[in-house]
């Protein structure tokens, strides 16, 4: 059964968002140099405790109904292309086309039937 494995915070001002979450929750942020996109890994708690870690990314687009303005959960899937096709058959709309996350895997964002955005990730250490 696929599980939520990651969440993502989209921010207009990453430094401001980092200060907010560090101060509010004590989350730890580490810049990730894995690609062309500014990205920070978020550690939300100690290893071995319940919960998941996430990431923070600079928001793309203006907040006008087109940009992501929420936490985005990412679901681990065995095969992204077929799962994406199934999501579309069920009424989802592709929000961000499939793209590689170098050394991690393949990621796509979709809007569900209610307009909520979520990610799907196929692990692939050879993704480029």
């Amino acid at each position: 059964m696929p599980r939520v494995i990651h969440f993502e915070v989209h921010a207009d001002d990453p430094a401001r968002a980092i200060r907010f979450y560090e101060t509010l929750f004590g989350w730890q942020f580490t810049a990730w140099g894995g690609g062309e996109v500014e990205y920070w890994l978020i550690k939300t708690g100690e290893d071995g405790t319940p919960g998941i870690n996430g990431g923070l990314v600079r928001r793309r687009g203006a907040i006008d109904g087109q940009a992501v303005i929420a936490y985005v959960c990412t679901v681990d899937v065995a095969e992204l292309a077929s799962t994406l096709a199934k999501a579309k058959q069920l009424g989802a709309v592709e929000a961000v086309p499939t793209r590689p996350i170098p050394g991690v895997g393949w990621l796509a964002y979709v809007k569900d039937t209610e307009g909520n955005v979520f990610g799907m990730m196929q692990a692939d250490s050879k993704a480029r």
Side-chain angles (χ1 to χ4, degrees):
M1 179 180 320
R3 296 194 60 180
V4 175
I5 57 167
H6 184 78
F7 73 88
E8 205 166 68
V9 177
H10 291 237
D12 287 324
D13 183 339
R16 179 177 62 205
I18 289 169
R19 283 191 305 274
F20 175 81
Y21 288 106
E22 281 177 337
T23 303
L24 183 63
F25 297 129
W27 290 354
Q28 298 171 352
F29 291 77
T30 305
W32 182 65
E36 299 172 10
V37 176
E38 292 177 280
Y39 202 86
W40 294 262
L41 299 174
I42 305 172
K43 182 177 180 181
T44 63
E46 296 305 316
D47 293 340
T49 60
I52 61 174
N53 294 317
L56 183 138
V57 64
R58 182 178 299 278
R59 179 178 289 117
R60 293 180 181 199
I63 299 179
D64 59 1
Q66 299 301 312
V68 175
I69 54 172
Y71 287 65
V72 175
C73 290
T74 300
V75 178
D76 179 33
V77 298
E79 213 291 308
L80 183 55
S82 62
T83 307
L84 182 57
K86 182 177 181 180
K88 289 178 179 179
Q89 288 176 338
L90 293 170
V93 176
E94 192 170 19
V96 177
T98 300
R99 62 186 172 108
I101 305 300
V104 177
W106 298 93
L107 174 68
Y109 293 114
V110 300
K111 284 186 182 181
D112 68 12
T113 57
E114 311 310 309
N116 299 305
V117 175
F118 66 94
M120 295 186 292
M121 169 75 74
Q122 175 185 331
D124 180 358
S125 62
K126 296 176 183 172
R128 299 277 177 255

PDB file of all heavy atoms in Angstrom, residues 9-44:
ATOM      1  N   VAL A   9       7.016  22.305   1.871  1.00  0.00           N
ATOM      2  CA  VAL A   9       6.514  23.644   2.104  1.00  0.00           C
ATOM      3  C   VAL A   9       6.981  24.504   0.935  1.00  0.00           C
ATOM      4  O   VAL A   9       8.172  24.525   0.631  1.00  0.00           O
ATOM      5  CB  VAL A   9       7.059  24.227   3.427  1.00  0.00           C
ATOM      6  CG1 VAL A   9       6.574  25.654   3.627  1.00  0.00           C
ATOM      7  CG2 VAL A   9       6.679  23.344   4.606  1.00  0.00           C
ATOM      8  N   HIS A  10       6.064  25.197   0.280  1.00  0.00           N
ATOM      9  CA  HIS A  10       6.405  26.116  -0.802  1.00  0.00           C
ATOM     10  C   HIS A  10       6.387  27.526  -0.229  1.00  0.00           C
ATOM     11  O   HIS A  10       5.446  27.898   0.485  1.00  0.00           O
ATOM     12  CB  HIS A  10       5.399  25.978  -1.947  1.00  0.00           C
ATOM     13  CG  HIS A  10       5.520  24.669  -2.654  1.00  0.00           C
ATOM     14  ND1 HIS A  10       5.747  24.574  -3.992  1.00  0.00           N
ATOM     15  CD2 HIS A  10       5.471  23.391  -2.199  1.00  0.00           C
ATOM     16  CE1 HIS A  10       5.831  23.301  -4.342  1.00  0.00           C
ATOM     17  NE2 HIS A  10       5.654  22.574  -3.263  1.00  0.00           N
ATOM     18  N   ALA A  11       7.428  28.322  -0.515  1.00  0.00           N
ATOM     19  CA  ALA A  11       7.566  29.631   0.118  1.00  0.00           C
ATOM     20  C   ALA A  11       8.024  30.692  -0.869  1.00  0.00           C
ATOM     21  O   ALA A  11       8.930  30.455  -1.660  1.00  0.00           O
ATOM     22  CB  ALA A  11       8.568  29.536   1.264  1.00  0.00           C
ATOM     23  N   ASP A  12       7.397  31.875  -0.799  1.00  0.00           N
ATOM     24  CA  ASP A  12       7.858  33.021  -1.581  1.00  0.00           C
ATOM     25  C   ASP A  12       9.228  33.473  -1.101  1.00  0.00           C
ATOM     26  O   ASP A  12      10.084  33.848  -1.884  1.00  0.00           O
ATOM     27  CB  ASP A  12       6.887  34.204  -1.462  1.00  0.00           C
ATOM     28  CG  ASP A  12       5.604  33.990  -2.231  1.00  0.00           C
ATOM     29  OD1 ASP A  12       5.649  33.389  -3.324  1.00  0.00           O
ATOM     30  OD2 ASP A  12       4.546  34.420  -1.732  1.00  0.00           O
ATOM     31  N   ASP A  13       9.429  33.467   0.216  1.00  0.00           N
ATOM     32  CA  ASP A  13      10.671  33.918   0.842  1.00  0.00           C
ATOM     33  C   ASP A  13      11.198  32.778   1.710  1.00  0.00           C
ATOM     34  O   ASP A  13      10.830  32.662   2.889  1.00  0.00           O
ATOM     35  CB  ASP A  13      10.387  35.170   1.673  1.00  0.00           C
ATOM     36  CG  ASP A  13      11.619  35.774   2.317  1.00  0.00           C
ATOM     37  OD1 ASP A  13      12.642  35.059   2.474  1.00  0.00           O
ATOM     38  OD2 ASP A  13      11.564  36.956   2.676  1.00  0.00           O
ATOM     39  N   PRO A  14      12.040  31.895   1.148  1.00  0.00           N
ATOM     40  CA  PRO A  14      12.516  30.741   1.914  1.00  0.00           C
ATOM     41  C   PRO A  14      13.165  31.105   3.246  1.00  0.00           C
ATOM     42  O   PRO A  14      12.927  30.428   4.248  1.00  0.00           O
ATOM     43  CB  PRO A  14      13.514  30.068   0.971  1.00  0.00           C
ATOM     44  CG  PRO A  14      13.009  30.414  -0.388  1.00  0.00           C
ATOM     45  CD  PRO A  14      12.518  31.834  -0.246  1.00  0.00           C
ATOM     46  N   ALA A  15      13.960  32.174   3.283  1.00  0.00           N
ATOM     47  CA  ALA A  15      14.620  32.556   4.538  1.00  0.00           C
ATOM     48  C   ALA A  15      13.594  32.894   5.610  1.00  0.00           C
ATOM     49  O   ALA A  15      13.744  32.511   6.778  1.00  0.00           O
ATOM     50  CB  ALA A  15      15.572  33.732   4.305  1.00  0.00           C
ATOM     51  N   ARG A  16      12.551  33.592   5.220  1.00  0.00           N
ATOM     52  CA  ARG A  16      11.487  33.952   6.172  1.00  0.00           C
ATOM     53  C   ARG A  16      10.776  32.691   6.665  1.00  0.00           C
ATOM     54  O   ARG A  16      10.509  32.548   7.855  1.00  0.00           O
ATOM     55  CB  ARG A  16      10.499  34.909   5.499  1.00  0.00           C
ATOM     56  CG  ARG A  16       9.345  35.332   6.390  1.00  0.00           C
ATOM     57  CD  ARG A  16       8.444  36.327   5.702  1.00  0.00           C
ATOM     58  NE  ARG A  16       7.841  35.750   4.496  1.00  0.00           N
ATOM     59  CZ  ARG A  16       7.420  36.469   3.466  1.00  0.00           C
ATOM     60  NH1 ARG A  16       7.532  37.789   3.458  1.00  0.00           N
ATOM     61  NH2 ARG A  16       6.871  35.877   2.416  1.00  0.00           N
ATOM     62  N   ALA A  17      10.478  31.774   5.744  1.00  0.00           N
ATOM     63  CA  ALA A  17       9.803  30.536   6.129  1.00  0.00           C
ATOM     64  C   ALA A  17      10.682  29.690   7.049  1.00  0.00           C
ATOM     65  O   ALA A  17      10.194  29.118   8.026  1.00  0.00           O
ATOM     66  CB  ALA A  17       9.415  29.744   4.883  1.00  0.00           C
ATOM     67  N   ILE A  18      11.964  29.622   6.734  1.00  0.00           N
ATOM     68  CA  ILE A  18      12.886  28.859   7.589  1.00  0.00           C
ATOM     69  C   ILE A  18      12.899  29.431   8.998  1.00  0.00           C
ATOM     70  O   ILE A  18      12.793  28.691   9.983  1.00  0.00           O
ATOM     71  CB  ILE A  18      14.303  28.822   6.963  1.00  0.00           C
ATOM     72  CG1 ILE A  18      14.290  27.912   5.728  1.00  0.00           C
ATOM     73  CG2 ILE A  18      15.337  28.365   7.988  1.00  0.00           C
ATOM     74  CD1 ILE A  18      15.548  28.004   4.880  1.00  0.00           C
ATOM     75  N   ARG A  19      13.016  30.756   9.115  1.00  0.00           N
ATOM     76  CA  ARG A  19      12.992  31.397  10.452  1.00  0.00           C
ATOM     77  C   ARG A  19      11.697  31.045  11.188  1.00  0.00           C
ATOM     78  O   ARG A  19      11.707  30.731  12.381  1.00  0.00           O
ATOM     79  CB  ARG A  19      13.129  32.909  10.337  1.00  0.00           C
ATOM     80  CG  ARG A  19      14.526  33.395  10.053  1.00  0.00           C
ATOM     81  CD  ARG A  19      14.673  34.908  10.210  1.00  0.00           C
ATOM     82  NE  ARG A  19      13.719  35.675   9.412  1.00  0.00           N
ATOM     83  CZ  ARG A  19      13.903  36.024   8.139  1.00  0.00           C
ATOM     84  NH1 ARG A  19      15.007  35.647   7.509  1.00  0.00           N
ATOM     85  NH2 ARG A  19      12.988  36.729   7.500  1.00  0.00           N
ATOM     86  N   PHE A  20      10.581  31.096  10.469  1.00  0.00           N
ATOM     87  CA  PHE A  20       9.280  30.816  11.071  1.00  0.00           C
ATOM     88  C   PHE A  20       9.240  29.406  11.648  1.00  0.00           C
ATOM     89  O   PHE A  20       8.906  29.214  12.823  1.00  0.00           O
ATOM     90  CB  PHE A  20       8.179  31.000  10.020  1.00  0.00           C
ATOM     91  CG  PHE A  20       6.806  30.624  10.503  1.00  0.00           C
ATOM     92  CD1 PHE A  20       6.068  31.498  11.274  1.00  0.00           C
ATOM     93  CD2 PHE A  20       6.255  29.389  10.173  1.00  0.00           C
ATOM     94  CE1 PHE A  20       4.789  31.157  11.712  1.00  0.00           C
ATOM     95  CE2 PHE A  20       4.991  29.042  10.599  1.00  0.00           C
ATOM     96  CZ  PHE A  20       4.247  29.923  11.380  1.00  0.00           C
ATOM     97  N   TYR A  21       9.573  28.394  10.846  1.00  0.00           N
ATOM     98  CA  TYR A  21       9.463  27.005  11.295  1.00  0.00           C
ATOM     99  C   TYR A  21      10.552  26.622  12.292  1.00  0.00           C
ATOM    100  O   TYR A  21      10.315  25.812  13.189  1.00  0.00           O
ATOM    101  CB  TYR A  21       9.434  26.045  10.101  1.00  0.00           C
ATOM    102  CG  TYR A  21       8.120  26.129   9.368  1.00  0.00           C
ATOM    103  CD1 TYR A  21       8.023  26.770   8.139  1.00  0.00           C
ATOM    104  CD2 TYR A  21       6.962  25.598   9.917  1.00  0.00           C
ATOM    105  CE1 TYR A  21       6.815  26.865   7.468  1.00  0.00           C
ATOM    106  CE2 TYR A  21       5.745  25.684   9.264  1.00  0.00           C
ATOM    107  CZ  TYR A  21       5.671  26.317   8.041  1.00  0.00           C
ATOM    108  OH  TYR A  21       4.469  26.413   7.391  1.00  0.00           O
ATOM    109  N   GLU A  22      11.748  27.212  12.163  1.00  0.00           N
ATOM    110  CA  GLU A  22      12.782  26.959  13.166  1.00  0.00           C
ATOM    111  C   GLU A  22      12.326  27.486  14.524  1.00  0.00           C
ATOM    112  O   GLU A  22      12.484  26.813  15.546  1.00  0.00           O
ATOM    113  CB  GLU A  22      14.094  27.651  12.771  1.00  0.00           C
ATOM    114  CG  GLU A  22      14.900  26.937  11.734  1.00  0.00           C
ATOM    115  CD  GLU A  22      16.160  27.695  11.330  1.00  0.00           C
ATOM    116  OE1 GLU A  22      16.228  28.934  11.504  1.00  0.00           O
ATOM    117  OE2 GLU A  22      17.081  27.037  10.821  1.00  0.00           O
ATOM    118  N   THR A  23      11.761  28.683  14.513  1.00  0.00           N
ATOM    119  CA  THR A  23      11.331  29.307  15.760  1.00  0.00           C
ATOM    120  C   THR A  23      10.093  28.630  16.341  1.00  0.00           C
ATOM    121  O   THR A  23      10.013  28.374  17.541  1.00  0.00           O
ATOM    122  CB  THR A  23      11.046  30.807  15.537  1.00  0.00           C
ATOM    123  OG1 THR A  23      12.226  31.416  15.019  1.00  0.00           O
ATOM    124  CG2 THR A  23      10.659  31.496  16.826  1.00  0.00           C
ATOM    125  N   LEU A  24       9.120  28.320  15.495  1.00  0.00           N
ATOM    126  CA  LEU A  24       7.864  27.747  15.958  1.00  0.00           C
ATOM    127  C   LEU A  24       8.013  26.309  16.438  1.00  0.00           C
ATOM    128  O   LEU A  24       7.542  25.950  17.515  1.00  0.00           O
ATOM    129  CB  LEU A  24       6.810  27.823  14.849  1.00  0.00           C
ATOM    130  CG  LEU A  24       5.416  27.318  15.192  1.00  0.00           C
ATOM    131  CD1 LEU A  24       4.801  28.167  16.322  1.00  0.00           C
ATOM    132  CD2 LEU A  24       4.536  27.343  13.956  1.00  0.00           C
ATOM    133  N   PHE A  25       8.666  25.471  15.634  1.00  0.00           N
ATOM    134  CA  PHE A  25       8.726  24.036  15.925  1.00  0.00           C
ATOM    135  C   PHE A  25      10.117  23.505  16.240  1.00  0.00           C
ATOM    136  O   PHE A  25      10.260  22.346  16.620  1.00  0.00           O
ATOM    137  CB  PHE A  25       8.182  23.225  14.739  1.00  0.00           C
ATOM    138  CG  PHE A  25       6.735  23.469  14.425  1.00  0.00           C
ATOM    139  CD1 PHE A  25       6.344  23.780  13.137  1.00  0.00           C
ATOM    140  CD2 PHE A  25       5.757  23.376  15.404  1.00  0.00           C
ATOM    141  CE1 PHE A  25       5.009  23.987  12.827  1.00  0.00           C
ATOM    142  CE2 PHE A  25       4.415  23.582  15.111  1.00  0.00           C
ATOM    143  CZ  PHE A  25       4.045  23.895  13.816  1.00  0.00           C
ATOM    144  N   GLY A  26      11.161  24.306  16.006  1.00  0.00           N
ATOM    145  CA  GLY A  26      12.524  23.815  16.204  1.00  0.00           C
ATOM    146  C   GLY A  26      13.009  22.928  15.081  1.00  0.00           C
ATOM    147  O   GLY A  26      13.992  22.202  15.235  1.00  0.00           O
ATOM    148  N   TRP A  27      12.297  22.956  13.925  1.00  0.00           N
ATOM    149  CA  TRP A  27      12.726  22.160  12.785  1.00  0.00           C
ATOM    150  C   TRP A  27      14.103  22.606  12.326  1.00  0.00           C
ATOM    151  O   TRP A  27      14.459  23.783  12.421  1.00  0.00           O
ATOM    152  CB  TRP A  27      11.745  22.296  11.634  1.00  0.00           C
ATOM    153  CG  TRP A  27      10.415  21.647  11.873  1.00  0.00           C
ATOM    154  CD1 TRP A  27      10.038  20.868  12.937  1.00  0.00           C
ATOM    155  CD2 TRP A  27       9.276  21.734  11.016  1.00  0.00           C
ATOM    156  NE1 TRP A  27       8.734  20.459  12.787  1.00  0.00           N
ATOM    157  CE2 TRP A  27       8.242  20.977  11.614  1.00  0.00           C
ATOM    158  CE3 TRP A  27       9.035  22.366   9.810  1.00  0.00           C
ATOM    159  CZ2 TRP A  27       6.983  20.842  11.043  1.00  0.00           C
ATOM    160  CZ3 TRP A  27       7.781  22.232   9.235  1.00  0.00           C
ATOM    161  CH2 TRP A  27       6.770  21.480   9.842  1.00  0.00           C
ATOM    162  N   GLN A  28      14.877  21.666  11.796  1.00  0.00           N
ATOM    163  CA  GLN A  28      16.228  21.946  11.301  1.00  0.00           C
ATOM    164  C   GLN A  28      16.230  21.910   9.782  1.00  0.00           C
ATOM    165  O   GLN A  28      15.687  20.969   9.178  1.00  0.00           O
ATOM    166  CB  GLN A  28      17.217  20.918  11.853  1.00  0.00           C
ATOM    167  CG  GLN A  28      17.311  20.949  13.361  1.00  0.00           C
ATOM    168  CD  GLN A  28      18.118  19.785  13.910  1.00  0.00           C
ATOM    169  OE1 GLN A  28      18.499  18.872  13.195  1.00  0.00           O
ATOM    170  NE2 GLN A  28      18.368  19.818  15.205  1.00  0.00           N
ATOM    171  N   PHE A  29      16.863  22.917   9.164  1.00  0.00           N
ATOM    172  CA  PHE A  29      16.896  23.049   7.707  1.00  0.00           C
ATOM    173  C   PHE A  29      18.324  22.902   7.216  1.00  0.00           C
ATOM    174  O   PHE A  29      19.247  23.502   7.773  1.00  0.00           O
ATOM    175  CB  PHE A  29      16.352  24.418   7.284  1.00  0.00           C
ATOM    176  CG  PHE A  29      14.877  24.565   7.526  1.00  0.00           C
ATOM    177  CD1 PHE A  29      14.386  24.796   8.804  1.00  0.00           C
ATOM    178  CD2 PHE A  29      13.977  24.453   6.485  1.00  0.00           C
ATOM    179  CE1 PHE A  29      13.020  24.929   9.036  1.00  0.00           C
ATOM    180  CE2 PHE A  29      12.605  24.578   6.701  1.00  0.00           C
ATOM    181  CZ  PHE A  29      12.137  24.817   7.981  1.00  0.00           C
ATOM    182  N   THR A  30      18.496  22.130   6.143  1.00  0.00           N
ATOM    183  CA  THR A  30      19.800  21.928   5.529  1.00  0.00           C
ATOM    184  C   THR A  30      19.661  22.133   4.030  1.00  0.00           C
ATOM    185  O   THR A  30      18.821  21.481   3.392  1.00  0.00           O
ATOM    186  CB  THR A  30      20.318  20.496   5.792  1.00  0.00           C
ATOM    187  OG1 THR A  30      20.323  20.252   7.199  1.00  0.00           O
ATOM    188  CG2 THR A  30      21.720  20.311   5.222  1.00  0.00           C
ATOM    189  N   ALA A  31      20.468  23.034   3.468  1.00  0.00           N
ATOM    190  CA  ALA A  31      20.429  23.254   2.018  1.00  0.00           C
ATOM    191  C   ALA A  31      20.815  21.960   1.320  1.00  0.00           C
ATOM    192  O   ALA A  31      21.752  21.272   1.729  1.00  0.00           O
ATOM    193  CB  ALA A  31      21.375  24.372   1.629  1.00  0.00           C
ATOM    194  N   TRP A  32      20.067  21.639   0.250  1.00  0.00           N
ATOM    195  CA  TRP A  32      20.340  20.443  -0.539  1.00  0.00           C
ATOM    196  C   TRP A  32      20.825  20.895  -1.896  1.00  0.00           C
ATOM    197  O   TRP A  32      20.116  21.605  -2.608  1.00  0.00           O
ATOM    198  CB  TRP A  32      19.077  19.587  -0.676  1.00  0.00           C
ATOM    199  CG  TRP A  32      19.288  18.315  -1.422  1.00  0.00           C
ATOM    200  CD1 TRP A  32      20.070  17.263  -1.039  1.00  0.00           C
ATOM    201  CD2 TRP A  32      18.727  17.943  -2.685  1.00  0.00           C
ATOM    202  NE1 TRP A  32      20.011  16.254  -1.977  1.00  0.00           N
ATOM    203  CE2 TRP A  32      19.189  16.654  -3.007  1.00  0.00           C
ATOM    204  CE3 TRP A  32      17.874  18.572  -3.581  1.00  0.00           C
ATOM    205  CZ2 TRP A  32      18.846  15.984  -4.167  1.00  0.00           C
ATOM    206  CZ3 TRP A  32      17.519  17.898  -4.744  1.00  0.00           C
ATOM    207  CH2 TRP A  32      18.001  16.628  -5.022  1.00  0.00           C
ATOM    208  N   GLY A  33      21.998  20.487  -2.281  1.00  0.00           N
ATOM    209  CA  GLY A  33      22.577  20.897  -3.548  1.00  0.00           C
ATOM    210  C   GLY A  33      22.383  19.882  -4.646  1.00  0.00           C
ATOM    211  O   GLY A  33      23.283  19.641  -5.428  1.00  0.00           O
ATOM    212  N   GLY A  34      21.213  19.292  -4.740  1.00  0.00           N
ATOM    213  CA  GLY A  34      20.990  18.209  -5.676  1.00  0.00           C
ATOM    214  C   GLY A  34      20.455  18.592  -7.029  1.00  0.00           C
ATOM    215  O   GLY A  34      20.120  17.732  -7.814  1.00  0.00           O
ATOM    216  N   GLY A  35      20.351  19.872  -7.317  1.00  0.00           N
ATOM    217  CA  GLY A  35      19.796  20.242  -8.612  1.00  0.00           C
ATOM    218  C   GLY A  35      19.795  21.736  -8.815  1.00  0.00           C
ATOM    219  O   GLY A  35      20.439  22.479  -8.081  1.00  0.00           O
ATOM    220  N   GLU A  36      19.065  22.178  -9.831  1.00  0.00           N
ATOM    221  CA  GLU A  36      19.006  23.586 -10.178  1.00  0.00           C
ATOM    222  C   GLU A  36      18.055  24.370  -9.287  1.00  0.00           C
ATOM    223  O   GLU A  36      18.107  25.593  -9.242  1.00  0.00           O
ATOM    224  CB  GLU A  36      18.555  23.729 -11.629  1.00  0.00           C
ATOM    225  CG  GLU A  36      19.494  23.078 -12.620  1.00  0.00           C
ATOM    226  CD  GLU A  36      18.928  23.064 -14.032  1.00  0.00           C
ATOM    227  OE1 GLU A  36      17.906  23.714 -14.279  1.00  0.00           O
ATOM    228  OE2 GLU A  36      19.527  22.384 -14.872  1.00  0.00           O
ATOM    229  N   VAL A  37      17.166  23.703  -8.583  1.00  0.00           N
ATOM    230  CA  VAL A  37      16.157  24.347  -7.763  1.00  0.00           C
ATOM    231  C   VAL A  37      16.681  24.567  -6.350  1.00  0.00           C
ATOM    232  O   VAL A  37      17.319  23.685  -5.778  1.00  0.00           O
ATOM    233  CB  VAL A  37      14.875  23.468  -7.712  1.00  0.00           C
ATOM    234  CG1 VAL A  37      13.832  24.061  -6.800  1.00  0.00           C
ATOM    235  CG2 VAL A  37      14.330  23.264  -9.111  1.00  0.00           C
ATOM    236  N   GLU A  38      16.415  25.763  -5.785  1.00  0.00           N
ATOM    237  CA  GLU A  38      16.754  26.005  -4.383  1.00  0.00           C
ATOM    238  C   GLU A  38      15.902  25.068  -3.532  1.00  0.00           C
ATOM    239  O   GLU A  38      14.676  25.071  -3.656  1.00  0.00           O
ATOM    240  CB  GLU A  38      16.423  27.444  -3.989  1.00  0.00           C
ATOM    241  CG  GLU A  38      17.285  28.489  -4.638  1.00  0.00           C
ATOM    242  CD  GLU A  38      16.814  29.876  -4.235  1.00  0.00           C
ATOM    243  OE1 GLU A  38      15.832  30.346  -4.832  1.00  0.00           O
ATOM    244  OE2 GLU A  38      17.429  30.456  -3.325  1.00  0.00           O
ATOM    245  N   TYR A  39      16.548  24.281  -2.668  1.00  0.00           N
ATOM    246  CA  TYR A  39      15.811  23.292  -1.894  1.00  0.00           C
ATOM    247  C   TYR A  39      16.501  23.075  -0.558  1.00  0.00           C
ATOM    248  O   TYR A  39      17.735  23.017  -0.489  1.00  0.00           O
ATOM    249  CB  TYR A  39      15.741  21.962  -2.664  1.00  0.00           C
ATOM    250  CG  TYR A  39      14.610  21.082  -2.216  1.00  0.00           C
ATOM    251  CD1 TYR A  39      13.348  21.230  -2.762  1.00  0.00           C
ATOM    252  CD2 TYR A  39      14.793  20.114  -1.237  1.00  0.00           C
ATOM    253  CE1 TYR A  39      12.282  20.440  -2.350  1.00  0.00           C
ATOM    254  CE2 TYR A  39      13.744  19.321  -0.820  1.00  0.00           C
ATOM    255  CZ  TYR A  39      12.494  19.486  -1.382  1.00  0.00           C
ATOM    256  OH  TYR A  39      11.449  18.704  -0.964  1.00  0.00           O
ATOM    257  N   TRP A  40      15.705  22.956   0.491  1.00  0.00           N
ATOM    258  CA  TRP A  40      16.204  22.688   1.829  1.00  0.00           C
ATOM    259  C   TRP A  40      15.503  21.459   2.377  1.00  0.00           C
ATOM    260  O   TRP A  40      14.284  21.321   2.256  1.00  0.00           O
ATOM    261  CB  TRP A  40      15.916  23.865   2.764  1.00  0.00           C
ATOM    262  CG  TRP A  40      16.652  25.098   2.406  1.00  0.00           C
ATOM    263  CD1 TRP A  40      17.823  25.550   2.969  1.00  0.00           C
ATOM    264  CD2 TRP A  40      16.298  26.066   1.409  1.00  0.00           C
ATOM    265  NE1 TRP A  40      18.209  26.726   2.367  1.00  0.00           N
ATOM    266  CE2 TRP A  40      17.284  27.066   1.404  1.00  0.00           C
ATOM    267  CE3 TRP A  40      15.251  26.184   0.501  1.00  0.00           C
ATOM    268  CZ2 TRP A  40      17.255  28.158   0.555  1.00  0.00           C
ATOM    269  CZ3 TRP A  40      15.205  27.266  -0.355  1.00  0.00           C
ATOM    270  CH2 TRP A  40      16.208  28.245  -0.320  1.00  0.00           C
ATOM    271  N   LEU A  41      16.262  20.546   2.965  1.00  0.00           N
ATOM    272  CA  LEU A  41      15.689  19.392   3.654  1.00  0.00           C
ATOM    273  C   LEU A  41      15.261  19.841   5.048  1.00  0.00           C
ATOM    274  O   LEU A  41      15.953  20.645   5.686  1.00  0.00           O
ATOM    275  CB  LEU A  41      16.716  18.265   3.759  1.00  0.00           C
ATOM    276  CG  LEU A  41      17.215  17.722   2.421  1.00  0.00           C
ATOM    277  CD1 LEU A  41      18.329  16.705   2.650  1.00  0.00           C
ATOM    278  CD2 LEU A  41      16.078  17.118   1.622  1.00  0.00           C
ATOM    279  N   ILE A  42      14.132  19.327   5.521  1.00  0.00           N
ATOM    280  CA  ILE A  42      13.621  19.677   6.843  1.00  0.00           C
ATOM    281  C   ILE A  42      13.637  18.433   7.721  1.00  0.00           C
ATOM    282  O   ILE A  42      13.029  17.416   7.374  1.00  0.00           O
ATOM    283  CB  ILE A  42      12.170  20.207   6.785  1.00  0.00           C
ATOM    284  CG1 ILE A  42      12.048  21.387   5.831  1.00  0.00           C
ATOM    285  CG2 ILE A  42      11.696  20.580   8.190  1.00  0.00           C
ATOM    286  CD1 ILE A  42      10.612  21.820   5.581  1.00  0.00           C
ATOM    287  N   LYS A  43      14.317  18.537   8.853  1.00  0.00           N
ATOM    288  CA  LYS A  43      14.296  17.473   9.854  1.00  0.00           C
ATOM    289  C   LYS A  43      13.305  17.910  10.926  1.00  0.00           C
ATOM    290  O   LYS A  43      13.497  18.936  11.577  1.00  0.00           O
ATOM    291  CB  LYS A  43      15.678  17.249  10.458  1.00  0.00           C
ATOM    292  CG  LYS A  43      15.708  16.128  11.469  1.00  0.00           C
ATOM    293  CD  LYS A  43      17.112  15.873  11.998  1.00  0.00           C
ATOM    294  CE  LYS A  43      17.082  14.736  12.998  1.00  0.00           C
ATOM    295  NZ  LYS A  43      18.424  14.484  13.543  1.00  0.00           N
ATOM    296  N   THR A  44      12.234  17.131  11.094  1.00  0.00           N
ATOM    297  CA  THR A  44      11.164  17.520  12.018  1.00  0.00           C
ATOM    298  C   THR A  44      11.260  16.821  13.375  1.00  0.00           C
ATOM    299  O   THR A  44      10.497  17.159  14.277  1.00  0.00           O
ATOM    300  CB  THR A  44       9.780  17.218  11.416  1.00  0.00           C
ATOM    301  OG1 THR A  44       9.659  15.807  11.231  1.00  0.00           O
ATOM    302  CG2 THR A  44       9.580  17.946  10.103  1.00  0.00           C
TER     303      THR A  44
END
